[in-house]
Amino acid sequence: MSSVIILLGAPNNSDGSLTAIAKSRCDKAYQVFLQQPYSKLLCTGGFGAHFNTTNTAHGDLTKAYLIKPGVPENAFLPVALSRFTFEDATLAEPILASAEAKKAILVSSEFHIARVYYVFSHVLPHIEFSCEAAITPLPEAELEQLVAHEKHAMERERSNVEKLKSPHTH
């Protein structure tokens, strides 16, 4: 099989419309798909108070967004109904295994992509990952807040990876 494009979720609005961050990630995934139309797409994102309070999984919202410009429905793998980045990787694992994926392209925002790569490459070390970063169309001050959040989140991910490597230690 050719590679899988993994589109990381982002917040959506309470009416189900995608935020600027989510749209920029979708647009980047679409660009990558146009370059590799035989790839499969795996959208991540389920439900959560901080990013999706609708009755539709975030991954289904991004899938619908990508179908509009012409991505065929049969290009999609099942949605990983995750709530956060580490869960994106752990819930993507069985989906990627059933697709027999050996390579995957991670698509997320430029402020998030380093953490995504770190998590996925540790949770799924047998898959070869590359990254495509979407440019976030937000004011500098908002972007700086997101970058600061990523520094704290990366500390948590390092702890999660350590727990994954030694599940019997507390």
Side-chain angles (χ1 to χ4, degrees):
M1 121 168 287
S2 55
S3 64
V4 174
I5 300 164
I6 302 173
L7 172 58
L8 278 289
N12 53 260
N13 297 309
S14 59
D15 65 359
S17 61
L18 298 179
T19 60
I21 293 172
K23 284 181 183 177
S24 68
R25 292 179 186 184
C26 286
D27 293 342
K28 176 56 86 172
Y30 181 67
Q31 290 170 6
V32 173
F33 182 78
L34 290 178
Q35 295 165 0
Q36 300 190 33
Y38 300 106
S39 296
K40 292 290 188 183
L41 276 145
L42 192 168
C43 299
T44 71
F47 304 93
H50 66 288
F51 76 94
N52 182 13
T53 57
T54 72
N55 292 324
T56 305
H58 178 76
D60 287 326
L61 297 172
T62 58
K63 178 180 170 182
Y65 182 93
L66 289 167
I67 287 172
K68 278 184 186 160
V71 176
E73 186 131 11
N74 67 359
F76 291 90
L77 294 172
V79 170
L81 298 174
S82 49
R83 298 167 295 165
F84 45 85
T85 304
F86 198 80
E87 207 172 62
D88 288 331
T90 58
L91 293 181
E93 184 172 21
I95 298 166
L96 294 170
S98 68
E100 298 179 2
K102 305 284 181 252
K103 292 183 177 186
I105 302 164
L106 300 166
V107 177
S108 192
S109 304
E110 78 282 17
F111 64 85
H112 186 229
I113 200 73
R115 179 160 61 107
V116 172
Y117 179 78
Y118 176 82
V119 169
F120 273 80
S121 61
H122 282 85
V123 172
L124 303 160
H126 55 284
I127 294 179
E128 180 185 327
F129 290 103
S130 60
C131 299
E132 288 286 339
I135 302 304
T136 307
L138 291 178
E140 185 88 20
E142 287 183 53
L143 207 47
E144 286 174 11
Q145 288 178 330
L146 294 168
V147 169
H149 166 78
E150 284 304 306
K151 288 180 182 171
H152 293 293
M154 192 60 145
E155 293 169 19
R156 182 181 65 238
E157 303 302 16
R158 285 189 183 96
S159 171
N160 287 335
V161 164
E162 286 308 311
K163 289 177 192 163
L164 186 70
K165 288 180 178 177
S166 55
H168 302 295
T169 356
H170 296 285

